[in-house]
């Protein structure tokens, strides 16, 4: 089957700290992988994606590398800002299926 | 360019009632999916509509039904509401076909928050 497991939060960091949010998956076939972010009171916004093994997705200083050998897609950022405080969701979709499977989300709090 | 719009933003119902939620997809998108997000959880897939037909369905009972109109907009209907149906209902739109090198990307609306008392 298909599923996504994320590290539980909340994660609390000081501004300019290094961020890692772990994500592992199980999937049939070769899925595409995504990170979405949800700010308070809003829907989910696409942060980055990777469509095949060893691809690196990046956006706004965030990065994640599709690791097929470890079935992982960990999210990293070198220096977080207060404005990065949000809930982050790891997700996958089997190729061309359009149905997305989401992790349970990791809340990030960044303190000034 | 308007993104995905949903209405209403908030609503309160009582057990046993019925509710209809509405969604207009992003311009250029032809596929609409609905997700249920319980408090503190990730979104769970309800179903997907393309060409006015339900194409895929998640693990939700028949009380959940939907419709897609010729202009690609969509409705989600939930009958015989239960307390456990309280959640944020997210509509997401996408293009059905993205080509061999692409990955389908969902564009989400802000959601409709349903409270069942």
């Amino acid at each position: 089957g298909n599923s996504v497991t994320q590290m539980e939060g909340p994660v609390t960091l000081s501004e300019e700290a290094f961020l890692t949010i772990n994500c592992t998956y199980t999937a049939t076939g070769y899925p595409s992988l995504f990170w979405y972010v949800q700010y308070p009171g809003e829907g989910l916004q696409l942060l980055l994606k990777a469509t095949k093994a060893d691809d690196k997705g990046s956006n706004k200083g965030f990065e994640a590398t599709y690791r097929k050998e470890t079935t992982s897609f960990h999210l990293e950022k070198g220096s977080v800002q207060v404005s990065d405080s949000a809930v982050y969701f790891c997700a996958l979709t089997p190729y061309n299926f359009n149905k997305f499977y989401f992790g349970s989300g990791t809340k990030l709090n960044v303190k000034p | 360019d308007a993104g995905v719009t949903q209405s209403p933003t908030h609503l309160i119902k009582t057990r046993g009632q019925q509710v209809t939620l509405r969604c207009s997809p992003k311009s250029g998108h032809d596929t609409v999916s609905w997700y249920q997000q319980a408090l503190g959880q990730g979104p769970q897939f309800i179903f997907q509509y393309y060409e006015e037909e339900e194409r895929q369905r998640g693990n939700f009972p028949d009380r959940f039904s939907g419709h897609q109109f010729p202009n690609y907009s969509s409705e989600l209907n939930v009958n015989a509401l239960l307390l456990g149906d309280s959640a944020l209902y997210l509509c997401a739109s996408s293009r059905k076909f993205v080509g061999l090198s692409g990955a389908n990307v969902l564009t989400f609306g802000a959601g409709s928050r349903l409270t069942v008392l």
Side-chain angles (χ1 to χ4, degrees), chain B residues 41-86:
Chain B
Q41 300 296 316
Q44 298 291 316
F45 176 76
I46 303 175
F47 42 53
Q48 180 189 83
Y49 277 83
Y50 172 67
E51 291 186 331
E52 301 179 50
E53 291 189 16
E54 183 182 295
R55 299 292 179 169
Q56 292 191 71
R57 189 177 184 91
N59 203 16
F60 281 80
D62 292 345
R63 298 186 297 108
F64 289 77
S65 63
H67 190 78
Q68 186 181 34
F69 299 94
N71 66 353
Y72 308 120
S73 67
S74 177
E75 289 181 350
L76 164 66
N77 301 293
V78 186
N79 295 323
L81 285 167
L82 303 174
L83 295 179
D85 295 331
S86 296

Side-chain angles (χ1 to χ4, degrees), chain A residues 46-66:
Chain A
L46 177 66
L47 182 59
L48 53 83
K49 65 178 171 71
T51 59
K52 61 184 186 297
D54 300 326
D55 268 2
K56 176 184 282 189
S58 61
N59 186 27
K60 299 180 182 179
F62 291 89
E63 293 183 340
T65 301
Y66 189 142

Side-chain angles (χ1 to χ4, degrees), chain A residues 45-108:
Chain A
Q45 301 175 24
L46 177 66
L47 182 59
L48 53 83
K49 65 178 171 71
T51 59
K52 61 184 186 297
D54 300 326
D55 268 2
K56 176 184 282 189
S58 61
N59 186 27
K60 299 180 182 179
F62 291 89
E63 293 183 340
T65 301
Y66 189 142
R67 302 287 189 198
K68 185 181 173 195
E69 63 277 11
T70 54
T71 62
S72 65
F73 192 55
H74 304 322
L75 181 68
E76 296 182 336
K77 187 176 185 183
S79 176
V80 294
Q81 305 301 312
V82 172
S83 58
D84 293 327
S85 297
V87 181
Y88 292 80
F89 292 93
C90 185
L92 70 82
T93 183
Y95 178 69
N96 250 357
F97 289 162
N98 287 350
K99 177 179 179 179
F100 278 60
Y101 298 82
F102 286 86
S104 57
T106 303
K107 185 173 184 179
L108 172 65

Side-chain angles (χ1 to χ4, degrees), chain B residues 30-47:
Chain B
D30 54 11
T31 301
V32 172
S33 302
W34 287 92
Y35 287 79
Q36 180 195 65
Q37 185 180 15
L39 198 62
Q41 300 296 316
Q44 298 291 316
F45 176 76
I46 303 175
F47 42 53

